[in-house]
């Protein structure tokens, strides 16, 4: 089930439920089109879409679910059903954020956008141990210009462990600019002037962009994900504390040297054009996501690695609350600050409410209607004890 049909006349993409993002990106590129998709393209389209979906184009076009026109789904009773703004609208509301709890998605139809030109993208790396002054300099760039990039610019900052022989913690930055090369280089010149240790940034087809992180997001192995949110401008002191926590973790648990701590910097304005009650997804606000992604091999390190991710996200949550108190977040959107696709913990009512906020109770009622036996109960929407009553 990996067929993709692109209709250039209506600028729509219909993809079967088994598709990978690479399938969608490649098919759309044949017509000079693209849609908002995942930043790792060897993963399936279903999980990202049903949980919300951020991507490199979110600054311009919003979330994946903002561009989902319709979905076909098989419900627990075996019935195949279409959901859209005009067909089964209640179900369509629910699946845009909590779709994994309502059925098996067999087809998605997305809105597409003109994307015939290449984009500026790649990865820069810096040595924050040998050149600690680079930490505030790189952060200063991400904090300010990205917000003024009119949605066309984005970057990811993160901490990782560099390759041998040093195998030391590094600061990585992946810039993205959807526009001509001269404009892209002018925009990122302050960052390029910081003399990164490595620099692969270049003009590449958009269909290749979502494969940039495949090498650090391999299938298999032992891994976990936890997420949080931050408001730009991020404080240098907080950024530094995250780096110190990362360094301590990979030093104390060398088995976890493939771990990542990533921060997504892009303009949230387009995402925030949609109200948090418009769909079950409730994480819209003037902030961005952070992903804690421990990766390890030895089962004996399961507890330590998962606890590190929990500790990091507790720090992140406290910083976000401080931002709301001191006025760095002035929005009244009341986003939950938790992205469901980054939450790897077991299901519980507490987890469901933390992800869906004020939408949780409506989701419970719709769950009783569309899946009363809780056949699709492995997500984080509901408590495992839910019995449909």
């Amino acid at each position: 089930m990996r067929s993709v049909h692109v209709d250039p006349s209506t600028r729509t993409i219909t993809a079967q439920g088994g598709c990978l993002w690479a399938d969608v990106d490649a098919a759309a590129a044949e017509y000079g089109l693209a849609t908002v998709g995942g930043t790792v393209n060897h993963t399936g389209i279903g999980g990202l879409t049903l949980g919300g979906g951020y991507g490199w184009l979110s600054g311009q076009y919003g979330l994946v679910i903002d561009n989902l026109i319709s979905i076909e789904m098989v419900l627990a009773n075996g019935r195949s059903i279409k959901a859209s703004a005009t067909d089964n609208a209640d179900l369509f509301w629910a699946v845009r954020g909590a779709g994994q709890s309502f059925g098996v998605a067999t087809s998605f139809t997305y809105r597409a956008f003109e994307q015939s030109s290449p984009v500026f993208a790649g990865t820069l790396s810096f040595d924050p141990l040998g050149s600690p002054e680079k930490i505030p300099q790189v952060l200063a760039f991400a904090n300010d210009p990205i917000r003024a990039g009119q949605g066309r610019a984005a970057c990811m900052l993160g901490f990782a462990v560099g390759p041998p022989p040093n195998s030391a913690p590094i600061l990585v930055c992946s810039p993205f600019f959807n526009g001509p090369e001269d404009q892209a280089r002018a925009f990122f010149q302050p960052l390029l002037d910081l003399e990164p240790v490595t620099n692969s940034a270049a003009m590449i087809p958009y269909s290749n962009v979502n494969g940039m992180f495949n090498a650090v997001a391999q299938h298999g192995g032992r891994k976990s994900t936890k997420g949080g949110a931050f408001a730009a401008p991020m404080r240098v002191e907080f950024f530094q504390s995250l780096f110190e926590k990362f360094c301590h973790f990979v030093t104390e648990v060398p088995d976890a040297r493939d771990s990542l701590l990533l921060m997504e910097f892009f303009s949230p304005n387009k995402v925030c054009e949609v109200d948090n009650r418009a769909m079950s997804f409730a994480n819209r606000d003037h902030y961005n996501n952070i992903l804690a992604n421990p990766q390890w091999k030895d089962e004996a390190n399961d507890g330590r690695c998962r606890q590190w991710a929990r500790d990091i996200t507790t720090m992140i949550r406290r910083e976000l609350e401080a931002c709301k108190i001191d006025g760095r977040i002035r929005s009244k959107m009341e986003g939950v600050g938790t992205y469901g696709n980054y939450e790897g913990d077991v299901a519980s009512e507490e987890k469901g409410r933390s992800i869906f906020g004020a939408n949780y109770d409506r989701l419970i009622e719709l769950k009783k209607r569309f899946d009363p036996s809780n056949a699709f109960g492995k997500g984080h929407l509901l408590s495992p004890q839910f019995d449909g009553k």
Side-chain angles (χ1 to χ4, degrees):
M1 295 184 64
R2 290 179 61 177
S3 173
V4 182
H5 173 71
V6 180
D7 187 338
S9 64
T10 59
R11 291 193 175 182
T12 57
I13 302 168
T14 299
Q16 290 185 312
C19 286
L20 306 182
W21 280 110
D23 301 326
V24 173
D25 292 340
E30 293 182 12
Y31 297 90
L33 299 173
T35 191
V36 182
T39 56
V40 176
N41 69 10
H42 62 199
T43 56
I45 64 174
L48 184 83
T49 301
L50 298 174
Y54 293 83
W56 289 112
L57 297 177
S58 288
Q60 288 181 272
Y61 307 123
L63 303 175
V64 174
I65 51 174
D66 297 338
N67 297 289
L68 181 65
I69 298 172
S70 66
I71 183 172
E72 294 183 6
M73 178 171 277
V74 177
L75 303 180
N77 62 8
R79 180 185 172 199
S80 181
I81 191 170
K82 177 181 178 181
S84 69
T86 55
D87 297 300
N88 299 296
D90 280 350
L91 180 62
F92 194 51
W93 179 90
V95 300
R96 288 176 293 169
Q100 75 281 357
S101 295
F102 283 86
V104 177
T106 58
S107 179
F108 301 86
T109 297
Y110 303 100
R111 185 176 299 107
F113 304 91
E114 193 278 329
Q115 190 64 57
S116 56
S117 301
V119 299
F120 182 79
T123 299
L124 318 179
S125 67
F126 299 88
D127 176 13
L129 296 178
S131 302
E133 72 279 2
K134 298 295 176 68
I135 289 181
Q137 292 171 340
V138 173
L139 178 63
F141 176 84
N143 267 335
D144 294 321
I146 295 301
R147 291 181 294 158
Q150 299 179 329
R152 295 191 300 161
C155 74
M156 286 197 189
L157 294 188
F159 306 124
V161 175
N166 295 333
S167 299
I170 59 173
L171 170 60
V172 294
C173 176
S174 295
F176 173 85
F177 191 91
N178 191 6
E181 183 171 12
D182 59 341
Q183 294 181 22
R185 291 194 176 276
F187 187 90
F188 283 106
Q189 197 59 50
L191 190 63
L192 301 174
D193 286 343
L194 295 178
E195 299 180 346
V197 176
T198 63
N199 178 2
S200 67
M203 298 300 291
I204 62 175
Y206 174 77
S207 56
N208 293 352
V209 170
N210 291 328
M212 291 195 305
F213 292 158
N214 287 3
V216 296
Q218 292 294 312
H219 300 296
R222 310 184 79 81
K223 54 178 68 76
S224 178
T225 59
K226 288 286 290 180
F230 71 94
M234 179 184 285
R235 292 187 304 115
V236 172
E237 297 81 5
F238 181 63
F239 191 63
Q240 181 72 49
S241 69
L242 291 176
F243 178 62
E244 291 170 358
K245 292 289 186 182
F246 179 83
C247 290
H248 179 75
F249 171 59
V250 296
T251 300
E252 292 294 309
V253 189
D255 180 40
R257 67 181 306 277
D258 293 332
S259 300
L260 303 168
L261 182 59
L262 297 176
M263 287 140 272
E264 304 169 1
F265 285 81
F266 70 90
S267 170
N269 292 340
K270 188 66 179 179
V271 171
C272 289
E273 287 180 5
V274 179
D275 188 81
N276 275 313
R277 296 297 188 98
M279 310 169 191
S280 64
F281 185 87
N283 192 37
R284 302 175 192 271
D285 215 322
H286 291 274
Y287 50 56
N288 293 131
N289 296 316
I290 302 183
L291 170 66
N293 178 210
Q295 302 183 38
W296 67 102
K297 299 178 178 63
D298 189 345
E299 182 179 357
N301 290 321
D302 285 4
R304 296 177 74 183
C305 292
R306 292 193 174 107
Q307 189 59 49
W308 172 78
R310 295 188 189 104
D311 291 345
I312 284 289
T313 50
T314 296
M315 285 178 57
I316 294 166
R317 192 172 301 112
R318 289 172 178 167
E319 179 72 7
L320 185 67
E321 289 303 314
C323 289
K324 293 178 181 178
I325 293 171
D326 67 22
R328 276 178 283 166
I329 297 180
R330 300 180 182 276
S331 165
K332 296 182 179 180
M333 293 195 69
E334 299 182 348
V336 293
T338 302
Y339 178 31
N341 279 349
Y342 284 173
E343 290 299 308
D345 282 352
V346 295
S348 68
E349 178 175 340
E350 180 183 6
K351 179 62 63 179
R353 289 190 181 278
S354 74
I355 293 171
F356 300 108
N359 295 332
Y360 181 80
D361 290 334
R362 182 182 177 188
L363 278 170
I364 292 294
E365 294 306 311
L366 291 172
K367 178 73 168 179
K368 293 176 182 178
R369 177 175 153 197
F370 289 103
D371 183 20
S373 63
N374 198 25
F376 304 102
K378 292 186 177 181
H380 35 237
L381 170 58
L382 300 168
S383 165
Q385 287 73 42
F386 173 78
D387 61 3
K389 297 180 181 178

